[in-house]
Amino acid sequence: MAEASQSPQSSKANKQSDASAADKLTVLFAKLQPVISFLVDAYVKLSPYLEIARTYIAKGWQHIEPYYRRYWKTEYIEIFIGFVLLFFGGTFAMTIACYMAVQLSGLDTMKQAWATLKRNYRDGVEAFQNDPNARKFFDQDGDGQVSAKEFGSVTQRLFTGSAADKQAVLMHLRCVFVAVDPNQVMNGIGGIWTTAVAVIATLRSQFAKDIALGVSIGEMVSRQIGKYVKPVLAKRFDDDMKKWADFLVDAFCRFFGISLALILVRVVSAFHSAVKGGQIIARFVFQFLDNKQLSVPTAGTEYSIESTTVYMVVQYGLAAMGFYWQIQSGFVLNSIVLRLLVLPFSICELILTYLAAY
């Protein structure tokens, strides 16, 4: 009897829970609808230019591809990264810190999540291409091809069309919904998001620690030299403005402390990246010598070249050269050619610095 009496109450509670969840989803979608609509509108407006860019890239790739397949090796990317670390590691301290944080926070998780999203995207595109009704519905000009502009224009009906238009769009996208696994997509987005949040948190905590260290240095300097500087500076102000003397001394000392802390952090980062870059370049140098049979191991023995004295001399010699280059250049890219060469790193450094500071 007790179970029978509890059953209706339990069923009622479940219905209320389901209704509450549905209401939450409705509210969430209503909040996200302006953002999604904006993204779709932007996609529709940019799609013609993206198509032009894709056409030029495809034409350029046709000319480059034979040379790429003949001469390009994946090792060149690692050599380039080693070069950047060796000579510009201090300039891109935040980017290097982000890379190290990604490695520690789950690089494999991010790779798996990205692979999952790519696989579901390919499955969705393939299902759409194999559905003649869906392609016909989205093909507004009837040329047999669904362009990005056509797809975006029809998708806008989900937000601006009538109930019948929305139902028609969803019905013709059913093939995509069937092919895509929402749980895998959610897990993929969650994996990337979790790693990104962990990296940003690490960068912000590191940045906050550096700022706190600089403020502490500034306060110590202010207490020690303030008793000499503040009375002298106060004599140059009127009686009603003397309070600004203390403020100026304290502010200058804190600014000095923060600047010194950030410079020292950049110097440490430059030394670390120079050693790491020297290690990468030295490894490829000895691989090249080994391929040319200019480096012959001792007969009957197995050894790692990275444990030899010669390798260490080359590695730290390159590291010393790279570290000196960074110090004497003041962590500034003085050449336009260098700025263009490391432009992706510069953009990444700017974005990461903004995220860490704000």
Side-chain angles (χ1 to χ4, degrees), residues 204-268:
R204 288 188 174 181
S205 62
Q206 182 66 37
F207 187 78
K209 184 179 72 174
D210 297 337
I211 296 297
L213 177 62
V215 171
S216 177
I217 293 173
E219 289 178 350
M220 287 190 296
V221 173
S222 178
R223 285 196 301 267
Q224 292 174 351
I225 70 171
K227 59 183 179 180
Y228 303 106
V229 177
K230 289 179 181 179
V232 175
L233 188 61
K235 293 179 180 179
R236 299 180 177 273
F237 289 86
D238 296 331
D239 293 338
D240 57 345
M241 297 292 291
K242 290 184 181 296
K243 57 185 178 182
W244 283 95
D246 294 345
F247 170 78
L248 291 175
V249 173
D250 292 338
F252 176 80
C253 291
R254 291 187 180 185
F255 176 78
F256 169 78
I258 293 173
S259 301
L260 180 62
L262 294 179
I263 290 174
L264 292 177
V265 168
R266 193 171 290 271
V267 171
V268 172

Side-chain angles (χ1 to χ4, degrees), residues 272-335:
H272 169 263
S273 62
V275 173
K276 186 65 176 178
Q279 182 184 32
I280 295 174
I281 300 298
R283 182 168 64 248
F284 280 100
V285 167
F286 281 94
Q287 285 182 0
F288 174 80
L289 295 177
D290 187 59
N291 292 335
K292 296 297 182 180
Q293 296 183 351
L294 298 176
S295 175
V296 183
T298 305
T301 61
E302 294 183 0
Y303 73 103
S304 173
I305 189 64
E306 296 187 15
S307 63
T308 62
T309 303
V310 177
Y311 179 89
M312 294 177 60
V313 170
V314 174
Q315 175 189 350
Y316 286 100
L318 290 171
M321 181 175 63
F323 182 66
Y324 174 76
W325 168 275
Q326 295 184 64
I327 295 298
Q328 64 89 25
S329 65
F331 309 109
V332 177
L333 301 176
N334 298 317
S335 171

Side-chain angles (χ1 to χ4, degrees), residues 67-74 76-77:
Y67 302 97
Y68 171 82
R69 296 189 179 278
R70 183 176 180 181
Y71 299 107
W72 179 255
K73 296 181 180 180
T74 55
Y76 294 159
I77 298 177

Side-chain angles (χ1 to χ4, degrees), residues 15-35:
K15 290 181 180 179
Q16 291 177 348
S17 177
D18 293 340
S20 177
D23 293 339
K24 290 181 180 179
L25 289 176
T26 303
V27 173
L28 178 62
F29 183 78
K31 291 181 179 180
L32 293 178
Q33 182 172 344
V35 178

Side-chain angles (χ1 to χ4, degrees), residues 105-117 120 181-199:
S105 301
L107 181 61
D108 293 336
T109 301
M110 180 171 283
K111 287 181 178 180
Q112 293 175 0
W114 180 247
T116 300
L117 293 177
N120 279 272
D181 189 334
N183 293 320
Q184 291 184 3
V185 172
M186 185 63 66
N187 291 335
I189 295 175
I192 294 177
W193 178 255
T194 301
T195 305
V197 169
V199 169

Side-chain angles (χ1 to χ4, degrees), residues 89-100 199 203-204 206-207 210 266 269 348-354 356-357:
T91 306
F92 306 115
M94 196 65 70
T95 303
I96 295 172
C98 175
Y99 174 74
M100 300 301 295
V199 169
L203 295 179
R204 288 188 174 181
Q206 182 66 37
F207 187 78
D210 297 337
R266 193 171 290 271
S269 177
C348 185
E349 183 74 10
L350 181 64
I351 294 174
L352 292 175
T353 303
Y354 176 83

